[in-house]
Amino acid sequence: SKAGDTFNFALLHHDAEEGVLPALPADVHDLLMPHIALRRAGPGCKVDFWKRLAPDFVAGYDYLWSMDDDIRTDFFDWDFYRYHLLAYNPLVSQPSVVGWAPKRRSSDWNFVRATHSSNTSWVTRKIEAMTPVISTKIWPAIFSRAWSVNASNCFAIEGIISNIANEAKALGCFETPLLVVNTPMRHADCRSMNKGSHCFRGYVVEDCFGMSEKEADLLAQALGGECAAAKDPKAWKGKCV
């Protein structure tokens, strides 16, 4: 980063034996070790891993950036992305996505696919769990929800991330709560978490429920200091996610 930003990593080796950390290539080891904040080995799905990122653990960071293991940064420009974070202050954002090769699968959602237009970014109402960049301000509420849903798929958490941001806009707290920045990540589409695990691609209807009292309190604490409309937990409680 030209601005000298610091990135630390939580490496979650879902294809490794439980508790047995795989060896990293020597060059990768030397480069990453000073920046590895957490490593965990063993089967699991995205939500299983997110549940290990306790609010106290992420509190010292501005953003939590979650990436699938088949995402690469070949075409990504952090400084370009950083400019948009500073200019628009989104609660949630993500890079656009391209496939591994022309006409290969990028994202199932056309509104996060990279475009050839002159638009450097665009506002959306949803993000994809493949590579979201989440303000740590709202992570405590997301973390709380992670412990209340079926961890075998990520769609309920994907939904609450987007809907917290949309509700913040509805309250008048953020003008651009959800942003896609057109500096793409490259998607290899390995689907490795579906191999030999209990993870599945499907929505669990029981995981769709309104904001709990605890989640509402956490959001009021997180955003109430910078937006009066968000300060009362009643503004959040019961909102459908």
Side-chain angles (χ1 to χ4, degrees):
S1 165
K2 294 177 181 177
D5 296 317
T6 298
F7 295 82
N8 286 339
F9 300 88
L11 302 181
L12 305 164
H13 305 278
H14 63 86
D15 54 352
E17 183 181 344
E18 184 71 41
V20 181
L21 291 173
L24 298 174
D27 56 341
V28 174
H29 178 279
D30 294 343
L31 182 66
L32 285 188
M33 280 309 293
H35 302 284
I36 294 179
L38 171 70
R39 287 186 76 193
R40 188 260 180 188
C45 308
K46 291 181 187 180
V47 179
D48 292 316
F49 299 140
W50 292 341
K51 287 161 65 174
R52 294 179 177 270
L53 304 177
D56 288 347
F57 178 78
V58 305
Y61 301 95
D62 297 315
Y63 295 96
L64 191 156
W65 187 2
S66 174
M67 275 191 269
D68 287 2
D69 66 349
D70 59 355
I71 287 289
R72 287 181 46 143
T73 60
D74 299 13
F75 311 127
F76 179 78
D77 184 334
W78 168 252
D79 293 295
F80 181 82
Y81 196 93
R82 183 184 193 275
Y83 164 79
H84 287 79
L85 291 179
L86 294 175
Y88 295 101
N89 189 33
L91 281 175
V92 183
S93 62
Q94 74 164 86
S96 57
V97 182
V98 294
W100 191 252
K103 299 184 179 181
R104 294 284 296 274
R105 179 174 176 260
S106 56
S107 169
D108 293 334
W109 295 356
N110 60 8
F111 51 82
V112 300
R113 296 173 189 161
T115 73
H116 295 292
S117 74
S118 60
N119 293 332
T120 62
S121 63
W122 53 87
V123 176
T124 181
R125 289 189 57 80
K126 295 176 70 176
I127 53 85
E128 189 172 27
M130 186 189 300
T131 178
V133 179
I134 305 164
S135 169
T136 53
K137 297 175 186 176
I138 62 173
W139 184 251
I142 298 166
F143 180 80
S144 177
R145 177 58 60 102
W147 284 92
S148 304
V149 299
N150 187 319
S152 298
N153 79 87
C154 65
F155 293 136
I157 303 301
E158 182 180 78
I160 196 174
I161 292 170
S162 297
N163 283 303
I164 287 172
N166 285 319
E167 187 59 27
K169 180 177 182 179
L171 291 171
C173 298
F174 288 84
E175 185 176 345
T176 311
L178 281 156
L179 191 71
V180 177
V181 183
N182 200 25
T183 177
M185 303 293 275
R186 190 181 184 194
H187 184 205
D189 195 23
C190 298
R191 304 213 175 187
S192 55
M193 293 194 79
N194 293 339
K195 300 172 182 176
S197 76
H198 64 279
C199 310
F200 68 93
R201 292 174 58 83
Y203 199 91
V204 179
V205 176
E206 293 78 10
D207 286 347
C208 181
F209 51 88
M211 203 78 71
S212 70
E213 184 174 345
K214 178 181 179 181
E215 293 161 354
D217 285 341
L218 290 169
L219 289 168
Q221 293 169 25
L223 301 178
E226 55 190 293
C227 179
K231 195 171 185 178
D232 186 351
K234 292 179 182 178
W236 300 96
K237 188 175 184 301
K239 297 293 183 179
C240 182
V241 300

